[in-house]
Amino acid sequence: EKEMLDALTQLSSDDWELKEKGLLSIKCLATSHPKVLLWRHREVSLAVTKEVTNLHSKVSHTAIVTLGELFTALKKNMDPAADEISWILLQMVSNSPDFVQKAASQTLGIMVENVTPARAMTSLMDIAVQSRLGLVRKCAAEHLLTVMEKIGVKKLAGTPARAKKLVQVVVKLAQDCQKDTRHYGWKMLQMLRSHEKLNKFLEQSVSKNEL
């Protein structure tokens, strides 16, 4: 507990080296003593997330990796923070050094594997179509496909409101100007077409010519 409190103090410092030290402490705690983080997990996740956009790329990278450890350790306890974290991580996928972009995508993958699938889907859907940045749409589409595969078409069909919104998102991704994004969109489209109920939603939402 003392180490956690010390880490939070270090993260509030203006010294980037102290920030990095605090992040590494939280990363270690997530691996070895995750229960210690539970009672202040919201405060910890916010403090770490704040450093993702740090102008010092080394601190930014460490913060992103630390978030991955938090998702692995705290799993569904991180659900409330998933929306904000996914948005910030996706912003780092564009206009960041390659090693930061790679870490951001990897941590998004870890998030998808550990939070509630429905929460991950909600977090990714809006960003996937709203962003003006091609790399962001591509990354969001890639992880959205993973979530769909994890949930499965049978469960998706059982939640009509979410399924109808997903259909609209997938249709836009399948027509994206970026080839890679379209690739993920087409794969999701094929999944929707494979289930009678989801295919019906699709045909109701899209004109025959467009489909």
Side-chain angles (χ1 to χ4, degrees), residues 165-203:
K165 183 176 181 180
L166 177 64
V167 163
Q168 294 171 350
V169 170
V170 169
V171 167
K172 288 184 179 180
L173 292 174
Q175 300 176 90
D176 194 87
C177 59
Q178 298 280 342
K179 182 179 178 181
D180 289 337
T181 306
R182 288 200 305 274
H183 167 74
Y184 296 121
W186 291 341
K187 285 202 163 199
M188 288 185 270
L189 200 61
Q190 289 171 348
M191 287 182 68
L192 295 174
R193 298 282 278 180
S194 71
H195 191 280
E196 184 180 354
K197 192 172 182 179
L198 294 174
N199 189 48
K200 188 176 179 181
F201 289 154
L202 186 61
E203 291 176 345

Side-chain angles (χ1 to χ4, degrees), residues 31-153:
T31 306
S32 58
H33 295 86
K35 289 183 180 178
V36 172
L37 298 175
L38 269 176
W39 66 287
R40 293 182 75 165
H41 67 88
R42 180 62 177 158
E43 184 180 352
V44 170
S45 66
L46 282 172
V48 174
T49 303
K50 186 179 177 183
E51 300 307 324
V52 169
T53 55
N54 193 294
L55 295 178
H56 200 295
S57 59
K58 194 175 179 183
V59 176
S60 172
H61 180 267
T62 304
I64 291 168
V65 173
T66 301
L67 282 176
E69 294 293 344
L70 289 176
F71 279 119
T72 301
L74 303 180
K75 301 188 185 302
K76 293 178 182 179
N77 290 292
M78 292 288 286
D79 277 14
D83 287 353
E84 181 182 358
I85 292 174
S86 59
W87 186 86
I88 291 175
L89 288 176
L90 282 165
Q91 305 319 303
M92 302 307 292
V93 169
S94 185
N95 300 321
S96 296
D98 287 346
F99 74 106
V100 173
Q101 291 184 27
K102 185 177 179 181
S105 183
Q106 287 175 341
T107 294
L108 277 166
I110 295 170
M111 181 197 84
V112 164
E113 289 299 320
N114 288 282
V115 300
T116 304
R119 169 60 70 180
M121 176 171 283
T122 301
S123 299
L124 292 167
M125 276 197 295
D126 290 337
I127 305 168
V129 292
Q130 288 179 2
S131 178
R132 295 179 180 179
L133 302 172
L135 281 174
V136 172
R137 295 195 305 276
K138 173 199 165 187
C139 187
E142 179 183 1
H143 292 297
L144 187 58
L145 172 61
T146 302
V147 178
M148 279 185 67
E149 291 171 339
K150 190 172 183 179
I151 295 175
V153 290

